[in-house]
Amino acid sequence: TKTMINSDHSLQVIAKVSIEAGQEISNQYMKADKATIIRRPFLREKWFFNCQCPRCSDPTECGSHLSSLLCPKARCGAAVVPCNPLDNQSDWFCQECGAVMCLDRVQTVLEWAGQMLDTPAVED
């Protein structure tokens, strides 16, 4: 859905897809470009609920792999995803070789990646 505030202060909610009678309607509370490990705590703090939507419940985020890391094991390089995406304290594991990455390491890598994305590249 997309929500717009009209000049008379009323809200207008517009569906982005067709909705059939009785079908659940969902709302996007924040931009979709954030990883589950970032979205879920934000939603809990700001909106007071623990999201369990299909994307938050899927370790691969519905195949987008937005928060997946590359396995650091030599010659593997497969996706490292949360063991339990609905538990923000969960360790992560490689879907190919099964190597486990502790949450502290995951958070360090994701923070570094976020800083890299937020810092514009300087051309020489």
Side-chain angles (χ1 to χ4, degrees):
T1 61
K2 179 176 181 171
T3 305
M4 299 184 335
I5 302 173
N6 297 321
S7 59
D8 64 356
H9 302 289
S10 64
L11 292 179
Q12 181 178 9
V13 181
I14 301 170
K16 299 276 223 162
V17 296
S18 297
I19 301 171
E20 297 187 25
Q23 183 178 356
E24 180 180 8
I25 299 174
S26 61
N27 184 39
Q28 183 174 335
Y29 290 87
M30 61 188 302
K31 287 184 177 181
D33 65 349
K34 302 293 182 212
T36 296
I37 197 169
I38 295 168
R39 284 192 326 274
R40 292 192 79 241
F42 173 83
L43 293 171
R44 177 75 188 129
E45 185 175 318
K46 182 163 174 75
W47 298 99
F48 308 104
F49 75 96
N50 291 314
C51 186
Q52 296 181 23
C53 72
R55 182 175 168 198
C56 286
S57 300
D58 181 355
T60 68
E61 298 192 40
C62 295
S64 72
H65 287 277
L66 186 65
S67 62
S68 295
L69 304 177
L70 289 178
C71 181
K73 295 277 186 184
R75 290 180 259 145
C76 184
V80 175
V81 298
C83 296
N84 179 356
L86 298 179
D87 176 4
N88 285 348
Q89 301 304 310
S90 173
D91 286 333
W92 290 36
F93 77 102
C94 174
Q95 291 186 304
E96 186 69 29
C97 73
V100 175
M101 186 180 285
C102 71
L103 180 61
D104 289 340
R105 177 73 177 136
V106 168
Q107 289 174 325
T108 299
V109 171
L110 290 175
E111 286 172 14
W112 174 81
Q115 290 171 358
M116 295 297 290
L117 291 171
D118 291 341
T119 305
V122 178
E123 295 193 25
D124 295 329

